[in-house]
Amino acid sequence: MKAFSDIRVASLLALALLVAGGFALPEWALFLMTIGLAKALVSLGIVVQMRAGLVSFGQGLFFCIGAYVAGLMANFAGLTDIFVLTGIAVIACLAVGGLFGPLLANYRGIFFAMLSLSLSMILYGVLSKMNSLGGTDGLNVAAPTFAGYAPEGRALSLSLYLYTSFIVVAIGAVLRTGFDSQHGLVSLAVRSNELRVEYLGASVRRTNAINYVISAMLGGIGGVITGLAIGHVDPEYAYWTTSGEFVFVAILAGYLSIPAVFVASIILELVRSFSNLYFPNTWQMVLGVFLLVIILTLPNGLGSLFHRKREGGS
Amino acid sequence: MSTSNPTGTPALETKGLMKSFGAVTAAHDITVSVPERAVWSLIGTNGAGKTTFVNMVTGYLHPDQGSILFQGRDITSLGPREVTRAGICRSFQIPQLCSELTVLENVLVALAIADPKPPSFFRKARESAAEDRAMEILKRFRIEEHRGRLMSELSAGVRKLLDIAMSMCGHPKVMLLDEPTSGVAAEEKFPIMDLVMEALAAENVTTLFVEHDMDIVTRYSDRVLAFYDGRIIADDAPDEVLNDPQVQRYVTGTAPAEASS
C-alpha cells in the first residue's frame, strides 16, 4: 500500500509542478515542453521494451499512426476533440501493435530492431506515395478542441500543455505500477535470463508481445499530441531518423526511471532548439557529444540518478 | 534397459529415447520408469548422455525417437515452459539466475510465474504476502541473509541453492538436478545436499540428480542409473551399481587393473 501511496503523492506533486509551470512559462516554452513530454511518451515505449532487453528502432510507426489519426480525423471526419482523437489513436495502435507484436516477439537483438524499423519504413513509403493523404507534404491538422472548448492563441498552447501534463502524469503513474508489478519484474528477468524464465514456466514471447503493445499505445498517444501541437503531420514521423531520436532519448534516460525519460526528452528538445539556433549546421554533433558524455559517466542513463536502491530490491 | 514400478503409474517414464548430434549418439534406447517419490542418481563420465537425458525430459531437446511420459501423460513434444507447467522442474549445472536482480527478486519472479494466473501488470510483485513467501523459501534453504545481494556477490553454493529454490517455487512433482554440487567447496557439498533433499522430501518430490561424487550418490539416492556412450549400462541400488564391473571400468574408474586391460 505504501508504494501505491508513494506513487500517488509523487504523481500529484509532478502534476502540481507541471500545472504551475504552465502558467509561468512563456508560449514558446509551453510548445517546447508539450513536444518534449509527448515525444517522451514514445521513448517511454522503448524503455518498456528495454526492460525486457529489446530496443525497437521502429517507434516512429506508432508515433506516425497517432499523428495521422489526428490529421485524417480532422480533415476527413471533422473530428477535432482531443479526447476522442487520443482514444482513436490508442485503438489504432492497439490494433497494429496487437497484429505485429506476437510476430516481432519471436525475435531478439538486432533482428527485432531491424524488423520493427522495417515496419515503420513501410508506413513511411506508403504515406509518401499516397497523394490522397498528402504524399510527402503531409496534412495540416486543425487546432484541437477540448470537450467543446475551442481555445486560441496562448490559451490553446496552455490547454494542450495541461492536457499533455495530465496524460503524462497518469501514464507515468500507471507505468510505475506496471514496472513494480509481477509483469514488470518478469520483464527484468527476461532481460537477465530468458532460459530461466521459460524454465520457471513463463512465456518470454508473451512478455515481449505485451510490452510491444504497451509501447504501441504510448507511441500513438505521443503522436496524436505532437501532431496536434505542431498542426501538421507528414511521413517523416515514420522515418528512421525520427525513430532514432526516440532511441536516443531512451538510451539517455536508461530503463531504471520514468521521470528520467521525460527529463531526457525535454533536454533533447532544448539542446535541439538552442543548438539549431546557434549552431545550425552542427547541432547533431552537439547531441552526439552530449550522449557520449552521458554514456561514459552514467552507463545506466540519467535514470540512475533518480533510482533508489532498496533492501532486497532494485 | 527398464525398471518396473509395482505401485502404479510411474512419476516419469521414458521409452526408447534416441538422440543423435550428427555422428554422435547421445542417447540410445533410454528406457526408465521412475516411481513416485523415488530419489535416483544419474552417473557417468562427461559426454555419457546424462545431461542430454535431462534436457530431453525437460523439453530443451526433443528425442529423435521414443517417448516421455509424466504421470502417464505424453510430454515428448512439449517445450521447457509446458514441461515446467506440467510439474517437472530442473536446476542447472551452471545456475541459471537473473543476474540483474537480487536474491529476493529472483525468488519473487519464480513465485509470480508459479502463480496459476499469468504475471499481472496490476498485481504488485513485492506485495507483503509474496515477500513473506519468498523469505520462507530463502529461510528453508538458509540463504535469507543474502536476500539483497546480486548474483555477482554470491558464492557458488548459494547460487546452487538459489537455483534449486527457484525451481521449487512451482511445487514440482518431479525435479531433475543437474550436478547440484559441482563447483561447490568440498565442505559445503553435504550441507547443501542435506538442505536440498530435505526440502524435496518435504514436498514428496520425485528426484533425479546428475552427480559425479560417489559419496553423494550412495548417501542420497535409492537407485542409480549409470550412463556410458549414450546408453544405460547399469540400473540398480547404489552399492550394486558401484560394484558392477562395467561401471567400475567405464564410469568410476575403480576397476582392478586386470579388468580394465
Side-chain angles (χ1 to χ4, degrees):
Chain A
M1 284 303 291
K2 186 176 179 299
F4 282 122
S5 72
D6 283 352
I7 292 170
R8 272 200 293 266
V9 169
S11 301
L12 286 173
L13 277 174
L15 188 60
L17 201 66
L18 285 168
V19 169
F23 287 99
L25 290 171
E27 196 170 348
W28 68 266
L30 282 179
F31 175 77
L32 189 144
M33 286 288 288
T34 302
I35 296 293
L37 293 173
K39 287 188 173 178
L41 290 174
V42 191
S43 295
L44 204 48
I46 297 176
V47 169
V48 167
Q49 295 176 74
M50 276 171 70
R51 289 176 70 85
L54 296 175
V55 177
S56 167
F57 276 71
Q59 265 307 79
L61 172 72
F62 301 107
F63 182 61
C64 188
I65 290 172
Y68 266 82
V69 161
L72 293 173
M73 288 296 131
N75 283 286
F76 296 104
L79 271 175
T80 56
D81 187 278
I82 195 164
F83 301 102
V84 175
L85 293 175
T86 306
I88 296 171
V90 167
I91 292 167
C93 290
L94 259 177
V96 177
L99 183 68
F100 292 115
L103 171 72
L104 265 65
N106 289 318
Y107 296 90
R108 304 288 180 274
I110 194 67
F111 302 103
F112 175 83
M114 289 298 110
L115 270 173
S116 59
L117 174 62
S118 69
L119 292 177
S120 75
M121 289 306 290
I122 287 169
L123 180 64
Y124 170 81
V126 169
L127 290 174
S128 296
K129 298 293 178 194
M130 287 186 72
N131 291 331
S132 57
L133 298 182
T136 52
D137 292 337
L139 300 165
N140 286 326
V141 184
T145 56
F146 299 80
Y149 171 55
E152 291 179 356
R154 180 179 162 81
L156 174 60
S157 298
L158 182 62
S159 301
L160 197 53
Y161 167 80
L162 292 175
Y163 176 78
T164 308
S165 299
F166 177 79
I167 291 272
V168 156
V169 169
I171 287 176
V174 170
L175 278 187
R176 184 69 261 169
T177 306
F179 285 1
D180 293 338
S181 71
Q182 292 178 329
H183 174 82
L185 194 57
V186 171
S187 290
L188 288 178
V190 168
R191 177 189 173 87
S192 283
N193 193 332
E194 287 191 13
L195 181 70
R196 176 83 249 187
V197 171
E198 286 280 332
Y199 265 115
L200 287 171
S203 167
V204 170
R205 183 169 177 246
R206 177 182 178 276
T207 304
N208 287 336
I210 289 173
N211 288 340
Y212 188 82
V213 172
I214 292 169
S215 77
M217 285 193 292
L218 295 173
I221 296 169
V224 79
I225 293 172
T226 305
L228 290 169
I230 293 176
H232 183 82
V233 297
D234 60 51
E236 289 285 326
Y237 279 64
Y239 199 54
W240 69 272
T241 50
T242 308
S243 295
E245 282 181 19
F246 299 133
V247 174
F248 177 95
V249 168
I251 292 171
L252 194 61
Y255 69 92
L256 296 171
S257 161
I258 291 171
V261 182
F262 296 107
V263 171
S265 182
I266 290 167
I267 287 175
L268 174 70
E269 290 306 316
L270 281 169
V271 171
R272 190 216 307 271
S273 297
F274 286 99
S275 300
N276 216 2
L277 189 63
Y278 296 111
F279 321 103
N281 298 317
T282 54
W283 72 271
Q284 290 95 338
M285 193 175 75
V286 176
L287 277 182
V289 170
F290 188 71
L291 184 62
L292 200 61
V293 170
I294 291 293
I295 288 172
L296 290 175
T297 55
L298 298 167
N300 284 323
L302 289 173
S304 52
L305 295 173
F306 296 74
H307 188 55
R308 241 181 345 151
K309 182 84 181 166
R310 295 192 301 257
E311 187 191 15
S314 57
Chain B
M1 188 167 290
S2 65
T3 56
S4 61
N5 170 32
T7 60
T9 307
L12 180 70
E13 267 187 295
T14 66
K15 295 177 180 173
L17 291 186
M18 307 279 280
K19 184 71 186 175
S20 297
F21 300 101
V24 177
T25 301
H28 183 85
D29 192 22
I30 304 294
T31 299
V32 297
S33 178
V34 189
E36 299 276 358
R37 290 192 282 278
V39 180
W40 288 17
S41 56
L42 282 56
I43 63 171
T45 52
N46 288 336
K50 310 179 297 295
T51 298
T52 299
F53 174 76
V54 170
N55 284 340
M56 285 193 290
V57 170
T58 56
Y60 188 71
L61 294 174
H62 293 300
D64 299 332
Q65 283 180 44
S67 59
I68 305 165
L69 305 177
F70 168 61
Q71 294 180 332
R73 175 191 167 197
D74 192 334
I75 58 164
T76 314
S77 60
L78 302 186
R81 178 162 39 92
E82 293 90 355
V83 169
T84 303
R85 285 274 168 202
I88 300 178
C89 291
R90 73 171 290 182
S91 71
F92 298 82
Q93 183 181 353
I94 298 168
Q96 293 296 317
L97 307 169
C98 301
S99 57
E100 294 178 35
L101 302 182
T102 63
V103 167
L104 180 65
E105 286 170 335
N106 268 276
V107 178
L108 286 169
V109 167
L111 286 173
I113 294 173
D115 197 295
K117 294 175 187 168
S120 165
F121 190 84
F122 294 102
R123 186 167 171 197
K124 273 186 69 187
R126 299 181 66 105
E127 63 186 10
S128 57
E131 284 211 353
D132 291 347
R133 177 84 186 101
M135 284 305 294
E136 264 176 43
I137 291 164
L138 293 178
K139 282 177 185 166
R140 171 182 265 186
F141 287 89
R142 297 187 193 155
I143 52 175
E144 73 274 17
E145 68 193 85
H146 304 286
R147 65 184 178 278
R149 293 191 179 144
L150 295 171
M151 300 312 104
S152 56
E153 303 168 65
L154 302 177
S155 68
V158 175
R159 288 185 202 192
K160 288 278 187 188
L161 285 172
L162 179 58
D163 190 38
I164 296 166
M166 289 172 74
S167 299
M168 288 291 289
C169 290
H171 300 292
K173 298 281 183 284
V174 173
M175 174 73 96
L176 293 101
L177 308 171
D178 196 354
E179 302 196 27
T181 64
S182 70
V184 174
E187 66 273 16
E188 284 184 353
K189 286 187 175 184
F190 284 107
I192 282 177
M193 284 302 286
D194 284 343
L195 277 172
V196 171
M197 288 303 165
E198 191 183 311
L200 291 165
E203 297 200 20
N204 297 320
V205 181
T206 305
T207 305
L208 285 85
F209 65 96
V210 175
E211 187 55 64
H212 288 290
D213 187 326
M214 295 307 141
D215 291 334
I216 286 176
V217 168
T218 50
R219 178 159 166 179
Y220 295 101
S221 54
D222 40 54
R223 196 173 189 99
V224 179
L225 301 178
F227 284 74
Y228 177 72
D229 201 21
R231 299 163 192 268
I232 294 175
I233 58 170
D235 170 9
D236 211 328
D239 287 342
E240 299 297 325
V241 169
L242 295 181
N243 287 320
D244 183 300
Q246 280 207 95
V247 172
Q248 290 181 341
R249 181 174 182 186
Y250 295 117
V251 180
T252 59
T254 55
E258 61 273 18
S260 60
S261 59

